[in-house]
Amino acid sequence: MMILSGDPPKSRVLTLVLVLIILALAATPFLFPGAKALNVAAKICVFAALVASYDLLLGYTGSVSFAHTMFYGIGSYAIAIALYGMGPNWAAVATGIVVGLPLAALLALAIGLFSLRVAAIFFAMITLAVASAFQVLASQLSWLTGGEDGRSFQLPELLRPGTVLISKSLFGFEINGRILTFYLVFAISALMILGLLRVVNSPFGRVLQAIRENRFRAEALGFRTVFHLTYANCLAALVAAGAGILNALWLRYAGPDTSLSFSIMLDILLMVVIGGMGTIYGAIIGATIFILAQNYLQSLMGVASKAASEAGLPLLPGLLHPDRWLLWLGLLFIASVYFFPTGVVGRLRHGGGDKGAGASH
Amino acid sequence: MTELAATDPLPKPKRDLAPVLLPIALALVMIPLIGSPSTWLTLTAASLAMGMMIFIMASGLTLVFGLMDVLNFGHGAFIAVGAYVATLVLAPFAASIQADSLWINLAMLAPAALLSMAVAGALGLVVERVLILPVYGQHLKQILMTTGGLIVAEQTLYALWGPQIIPMPLPTSLRGSFILGDVAIAKYRVLATLIGLAVFIAIQLVLNRTKLGLLIRAGVENREMVEALGYRIRRLFLGVFMTGSALAGLGGVMWALYREQVHASMSDELTVLIFVVVIIGGLGSIGGCFIGAILVAMVANYGGFLVPKLALVSNILLMVAILMWRPRGLYAVTSR
């Protein structure tokens, strides 16, 4: 239990599901051959870490930030620009990390100091405005970021798909640079999630929960709430930037659509809400459900849309068109806030109820 | 504190004029920077018109927050819906729009705007009942619910109208400019400024001079007390929410005519803009919202003229500057 920071899943079904997900992710290169499965698995790893870091904010402090993709994007762009500018070597990777992480933390500090001292509702609106300005900047500074096209780059020799580490004749599976990259993504995501679990179960995490439940009382007890909230904001930004770095490394690309867009922000929100706010574990469940659905349900919608248009039904083909995936996502979002405020994890742990869903302020 | 005799009138609350002077000062400072007085006048008129349109869109948001303590992240959806509904009215009567008579043109625009307001208001009724009612008093859930509502509304617009940009030409008689000396002022901007001013004055009068406004303000202060007096505060709040939505619809029509196009993504870009405005103004303050809208428009217009590159982030810089000065916005109304 040490590795889980003394906060086990506390439900047999939940434990089983989590173990299954983690085993399936770890064994993806061997169980499900093909590039798509590996891509989906890597995306689940990256998003599990990203969503967990968002949960530190939304679930544990109760503050809604719309700037989380900004930090994710800073990580992605930092490593992409470094590898693009300095060539595919490890010094560039190190530069990207050394520049990207502090930049994200500093920006989070600035936003925190500037908006957390007022009201939670202000924080949501200000982060939305700042994130949209950042997005405009990223698409306008095309000499640096490549504008709308983004930046494609090459990885260092060791991580390239062409690099064969263990040839197929040995185990029947080829271990190449691509698979090494996947395990890198998997391991670092796992470490970041375990780190977050440690943070939320520390005394610091308890203070965050206290602030979420009653900020005034926490203040009266002598906690400097602005300090704690800003600290949590910086931590979440660091992990988000870390996830951004992993994502860019996996895609070998960073661009506005994959790392900055508002729709990613909504995806993150949805994953947190579906998984269960204030339970770090929910991030893993939410990311898995959501990304599996996103990758495999959209084709199903295409089939349904075609069937509806052949049957001559009005309106339905348009509503079921694969591009309208977000519409159903939005409905699901509303329904889950309304009916499952504690998410999957909360349901499995307590069998329903409204506990731990986060207070209003 | 000085003592008051029983017959003395109550002391008037101090008027805080600094925010009012801010846009005036900004405009004056810009005269030497821009150089040509005629360019300055054109830019100032443009700022005023744009500011009024933004005010109409943002006023509903700040009204709903200030009076009901509901933060509606889906407010932008009402704007887009309003604009789309107007195309339904205007498209079949393209000929009348091309007619070169101000009265025929206005006779087309008025029903379009009214229908937009009606539809946006009705949508507000549904949204309030379905999305907001279960989460009164819970900010976190309000943000989540209304964000979900925004996604659904935007995607439904895509499904119904398709992803393409729909053109929405200005009527003939509202095109072009008045030429006063060597200053050109676009006709539509004058109309927009007039409508904006009318809306502002109407809201202020209703809130401050009528019994309805008194009840609404009292309901915000102490809901139970007003209910105990026999008034149905729920209906009153529903009415406020519908009014806010209808105003957003009106703003959407005006903005679409200003840009001469309609697109579902306009809700996204305008959401950020109106948020900046209500933050600058101080959440819930109608007066602050009015000044904030004009300031944002001024920075956009002057900034776009002087330093075009900077104009992209000028909103955010303005917001940062204002919040440094007054962390709760120009006029802090609520203690929340």
Side-chain angles (χ1 to χ4, degrees):
Chain A
M1 285 302 110
M2 271 314 284
I3 192 170
L4 296 179
S5 311
D7 180 20
K10 287 184 208 136
S11 147
R12 243 178 235 169
V13 188
L14 181 61
T15 315
L16 193 69
V17 172
L18 283 170
V19 168
L20 269 179
I21 290 176
I22 292 165
L23 284 182
L25 285 175
T28 303
F30 310 105
L31 282 182
F32 314 101
K36 181 166 182 187
L38 203 59
N39 270 329
V40 170
K43 201 174 173 194
I44 291 176
C45 293
V46 169
F47 269 83
L50 181 62
V51 171
S53 70
Y54 192 65
D55 196 24
L56 178 66
L57 281 183
L58 184 67
Y60 281 87
T61 74
S63 42
V64 185
S65 162
F66 282 95
H68 216 59
T69 43
M70 180 169 79
F71 303 120
Y72 182 63
I74 287 176
S76 296
Y77 271 109
I79 198 122
I81 291 169
L83 277 166
Y84 177 82
M86 298 168 63
N89 51 52
W90 291 102
V93 175
T95 312
I97 295 171
V98 169
V99 173
L101 293 183
L103 191 66
L106 270 179
L107 204 55
L109 182 71
I111 296 179
L113 288 179
F114 169 70
S115 55
L116 279 171
R117 64 201 166 111
V118 265
I121 230 163
F122 247 52
F123 184 66
M125 299 167 90
I126 285 175
T127 49
L128 181 62
V130 171
S132 78
F134 188 82
Q135 203 179 341
V136 171
L137 268 184
S139 63
Q140 290 298 315
L141 300 175
S142 40
W143 55 272
L144 184 67
T145 60
E148 293 295 330
D149 296 334
R151 282 275 182 252
S152 300
F153 55 89
Q154 287 214 309
L155 289 177
E157 187 78 49
L158 182 65
L159 299 178
R160 288 188 203 160
T163 313
V164 179
L165 299 168
I166 298 172
S167 73
K168 197 165 180 171
S169 54
L170 224 58
F171 290 121
F173 286 104
E174 185 186 272
I175 309 279
N176 57 25
R178 191 76 177 147
I179 291 179
L180 185 66
T181 315
F182 173 76
Y183 280 112
L184 197 68
V185 170
F186 178 81
I188 297 180
S189 302
L191 277 179
M192 289 198 292
I193 293 173
L194 288 175
L196 284 168
L197 209 54
R198 177 70 264 181
V199 168
V200 299
N201 287 299
S202 66
F204 171 68
R206 293 282 175 270
V207 178
L208 292 185
Q209 280 165 293
I211 295 173
R212 176 190 76 195
E213 295 303 331
N214 190 334
R215 183 166 178 175
F216 184 72
R217 187 178 286 175
E219 192 113 27
L221 287 173
F223 295 112
R224 285 179 299 161
T225 56
V226 174
F227 167 79
H228 284 91
L229 287 176
T230 310
Y231 190 28
N233 205 24
C234 290
L235 268 179
L238 273 178
V239 178
I245 290 175
L246 292 181
N247 187 48
L249 279 180
W250 178 254
L251 294 176
R252 286 167 285 175
Y253 166 80
D257 289 341
T258 57
S259 52
L260 276 179
S261 72
F262 189 61
S263 66
I264 298 184
M265 191 63 241
L266 296 177
D267 294 354
I268 300 174
L269 260 175
L270 193 81
M271 288 184 222
V272 171
V273 171
I274 290 180
M277 288 184 273
T279 61
I280 302 297
Y281 290 112
I284 303 173
I285 307 251
T288 309
I289 294 177
F290 182 89
I291 290 167
L292 285 180
Q294 189 180 37
N295 280 283
Y296 297 103
L297 268 189
Q298 246 173 319
S299 37
L300 209 69
M301 281 179 67
V303 175
S305 168
K306 229 182 199 164
S309 72
E310 272 161 14
L313 294 169
L315 207 58
L316 257 185
L319 292 175
L320 287 175
H321 193 272
D323 287 352
R324 295 287 82 78
W325 145 258
L326 257 179
L327 171 69
W328 300 99
L329 197 139
L331 288 173
L332 179 66
F333 186 77
I334 295 171
S336 46
V337 174
Y338 192 61
F339 296 110
F340 311 102
T342 55
V344 175
V345 170
R347 280 264 146 166
L348 290 178
R349 271 186 175 173
H350 306 292
D354 208 355
K355 259 168 127 188
S360 53
H361 287 268
Chain B
M1 273 187 89
T2 51
E3 285 204 18
L4 290 173
T7 50
D8 283 350
L10 286 172
K12 286 226 155 106
K14 260 194 192 158
R15 292 229 169 231
D16 181 8
L17 279 179
V20 182
L21 296 176
L22 193 62
I24 301 173
L26 184 65
L28 292 179
V29 167
M30 284 297 152
I31 300 179
L33 281 179
I34 290 172
S36 135
S38 64
T39 315
W40 176 80
L41 251 170
T42 308
L43 284 176
T44 309
S47 308
L48 271 182
M50 188 178 162
M52 296 297 172
M53 281 186 272
I54 300 175
F55 166 71
I56 293 178
M57 290 187 272
S59 61
L61 183 69
T62 209
L63 202 64
V64 165
F65 181 82
L67 300 180
M68 303 157 67
D69 193 24
V70 166
L71 188 64
N72 182 8
F73 266 67
H75 196 69
F78 297 125
I79 297 175
V81 167
Y84 271 100
V85 169
T87 64
L88 285 184
V89 179
L90 294 181
F93 297 100
S96 329
I97 296 210
Q98 300 315 321
D100 197 13
S101 150
L102 180 64
W103 295 113
I104 294 181
N105 288 166
L106 285 183
M108 286 317 304
L109 284 185
L114 288 178
L115 185 72
S116 295
M117 289 177 76
V119 172
L123 187 65
L125 176 85
V126 177
V127 167
E128 203 267 358
R129 285 285 133 128
V130 176
L131 293 185
I132 313 244
L133 195 58
V135 292
Y136 263 114
Q138 301 169 283
H139 282 158
L140 181 67
K141 284 192 179 176
Q142 279 168 13
I143 295 175
L144 296 177
M145 284 288 228
T146 51
T147 306
L150 177 68
I151 306 172
V152 171
E154 204 179 296
Q155 293 298 318
T156 312
L157 287 177
Y158 274 121
L160 290 176
W161 269 276
Q164 68 276 20
I165 292 175
I166 300 175
M168 189 160 168
L170 262 181
T172 319
S173 57
L174 288 172
R175 292 177 174 280
S177 314
F178 297 114
I179 310 285
L180 302 168
D182 55 351
V183 184
I185 293 174
K187 289 179 188 166
Y188 181 64
R189 287 182 177 150
V190 177
L191 180 70
T193 310
L194 290 178
I195 297 179
L197 272 179
V199 169
F200 176 61
I201 294 170
I203 295 178
Q204 291 288 32
L205 285 182
V206 169
L207 279 185
N208 295 323
R209 296 289 161 87
T210 63
K211 190 178 175 196
L212 187 67
L214 185 75
L215 278 178
I216 293 172
R217 285 182 296 142
V220 177
E221 286 297 323
N222 192 334
R223 191 177 170 148
E224 283 79 15
M225 181 62 79
V226 180
E227 268 170 351
L229 290 172
Y231 296 102
R232 291 189 199 173
I233 214 80
R234 286 271 332 113
R235 285 205 180 169
L236 216 55
F237 279 6
L238 180 61
V240 170
F241 195 88
M242 289 173 67
T243 310
S245 320
L247 281 173
L250 174 65
V253 181
M254 293 173 66
W255 190 263
L257 282 169
Y258 175 61
R259 284 288 160 92
E260 303 200 51
Q261 64 180 39
V262 180
H263 190 244
S265 68
M266 71 191 275
S267 57
D268 282 348
E269 57 190 83
L270 287 171
T271 299
V272 172
L273 191 67
I274 59 180
F275 275 178
V276 169
V277 166
V278 298
I279 292 174
I280 288 177
L283 270 173
S285 154
I286 289 290
C289 176
F290 187 70
I291 296 172
I294 292 176
L295 277 176
V296 163
M298 277 181 160
V299 172
N301 278 293
Y302 295 141
F305 179 77
L306 293 171
V307 217
K309 276 271 166 195
L310 194 71
L312 292 166
V313 284
S314 61
N315 287 336
I316 307 299
L317 294 179
L318 176 71
M319 184 177 83
V320 170
I322 298 278
L323 290 186
M324 292 288 195
W325 178 39
R326 295 195 168 178
R328 289 163 166 272
L330 292 176
Y331 289 115
V333 192
T334 57
S335 52
R336 293 182 280 264

